[in-house]
Amino acid sequence: QQQVKQSPQSLIVQKGGISIINCAYENTAFDYFPWYQQFPGKGPALLIAIRPDVSEKKEGRFTISFNKSAKQFSLHIMDSQPGDSATYFCAAASWGNNRLAFGKGNQVVVIP
Amino acid sequence: NAGVMQNPRHLVRRRGQEARLRCSPMKGHSHVYWYRQLPEEGLKFMVYLQKENIIDESGMPKERFSAEFPKEGPSILRIQQVVRGDSAAYFCASSPLPRDSNEQFFGPGTRLTVL
């Protein structure tokens, strides 16, 4: 059972454009929602994370939007660059239970 | 401050052999997690350990897989009598005390190939 579902599966964006990746979750006990970035042959790197007490969090060009009632959250990459080309994973966990449930990942390709 | 270290980075085993994967957490982190990633898939939780204690092994296959995190030395994920279906990337992550943070920091992974 996939507890966290991502869409779209892959995304092609022009340089300078906005990349948007969506995630939906089912378990209402989840209260920690990170996004990870993974390059080929590397481990996932924590990009940005949000808790449900806020609806949006921004760090540089990366923004998480969170909709608690819809049980959805999304990652926005502003001014996308070729160096952002990677696989992005959303995940979720409950406070005090550090078992991260990952989505299947989205491959983002930024073309010059 | 060195990050999470894993070795070996690549491991090739024949069916029936044993695989041992090692993970050293970030300095100051006392909690270790193991995840498995199959091709084109997300990461799947396997086990959560702290020093000398298994906290949650609900994601571990019932047979052939075991994990430990001794008082001294790295955490070890051990796979006995490997089969082709065990071929995957195995990632270790570490975190500070869970009550302080959910953040997990991942190592570069060990890519296991079973021939």
Side-chain angles (χ1 to χ4, degrees):
Chain A
Q1 182 187 5
Q2 192 75 24
Q3 294 191 68
V4 180
K5 296 181 180 178
Q6 286 185 243
S7 63
Q9 195 169 7
S10 61
L11 186 64
I12 299 175
V13 180
Q14 288 250 269
K15 179 183 174 182
I18 303 174
S19 305
I20 302 175
I21 310 168
N22 303 300
C23 262
Y25 64 97
E26 297 180 358
N27 188 344
T28 54
F30 288 150
D31 58 5
Y32 172 70
F33 304 92
W35 282 93
Y36 282 84
Q37 178 189 57
Q38 185 178 33
F39 294 105
K42 304 292 185 185
L46 180 63
L47 202 56
I48 187 172
I50 197 168
R51 296 203 178 276
D53 52 342
V54 296
S55 59
E56 187 174 282
K57 182 175 181 181
K58 184 176 181 180
E59 289 184 3
R61 296 185 294 109
F62 301 95
T63 300
I64 296 181
S65 297
F66 184 78
N67 186 330
K68 188 174 181 178
S69 61
K71 292 188 287 184
Q72 294 177 347
F73 58 109
S74 59
L75 176 69
H76 296 230
I77 307 174
M78 315 300 284
D79 187 26
S80 297
Q81 300 297 312
D84 297 331
S85 297
T87 300
Y88 292 82
F89 293 96
C90 63
S94 307
W95 182 257
N97 176 353
N98 269 10
R99 187 172 67 189
L100 285 170
F102 279 86
K104 287 192 173 184
N106 297 87
Q107 187 174 16
V108 174
V109 176
V110 181
I111 53 177
Chain B
N1 185 12
V4 177
M5 299 176 69
Q6 290 187 250
N7 66 81
R9 295 292 308 278
H10 300 274
L11 184 61
V12 179
R13 286 287 178 264
R14 296 192 181 279
R15 280 180 297 170
Q17 291 183 322
E18 179 181 285
R20 282 189 179 228
L21 288 62
R22 289 176 290 277
C23 168
S24 297
M26 285 179 70
K27 187 176 180 181
H29 287 186
S30 56
H31 296 254
V32 164
Y33 315 82
W34 286 93
Y35 292 84
R36 176 164 62 177
Q37 185 177 33
L38 295 170
E40 309 300 323
E41 293 285 328
L43 285 78
K44 302 290 187 188
F45 169 81
M46 298 181 74
V47 63
Y48 165 28
L49 313 101
Q50 64 179 123
K51 289 280 187 182
E52 300 183 285
N53 196 14
I54 297 175
I55 306 296
D56 180 353
E57 57 181 347
S58 58
M60 287 278 270
K62 293 286 185 282
E63 297 178 348
R64 302 187 298 107
F65 285 73
S66 62
E68 62 176 5
F69 189 15
K71 186 177 181 181
E72 301 291 337
S75 174
I76 306 284
L77 179 67
R78 183 182 177 205
I79 311 172
Q80 295 178 287
Q81 300 175 334
V82 296
V83 300
R84 289 224 173 99
D86 296 333
S87 295
Y90 292 83
F91 290 97
C92 167
S94 72
S95 75
L97 286 171
R99 67 165 185 266
D100 297 330
S101 172
N102 277 98
E103 291 187 355
Q104 293 183 28
F105 299 87
F106 283 79
T110 294
R111 279 144 186 89
L112 172 65
T113 301
V114 180
L115 303 177

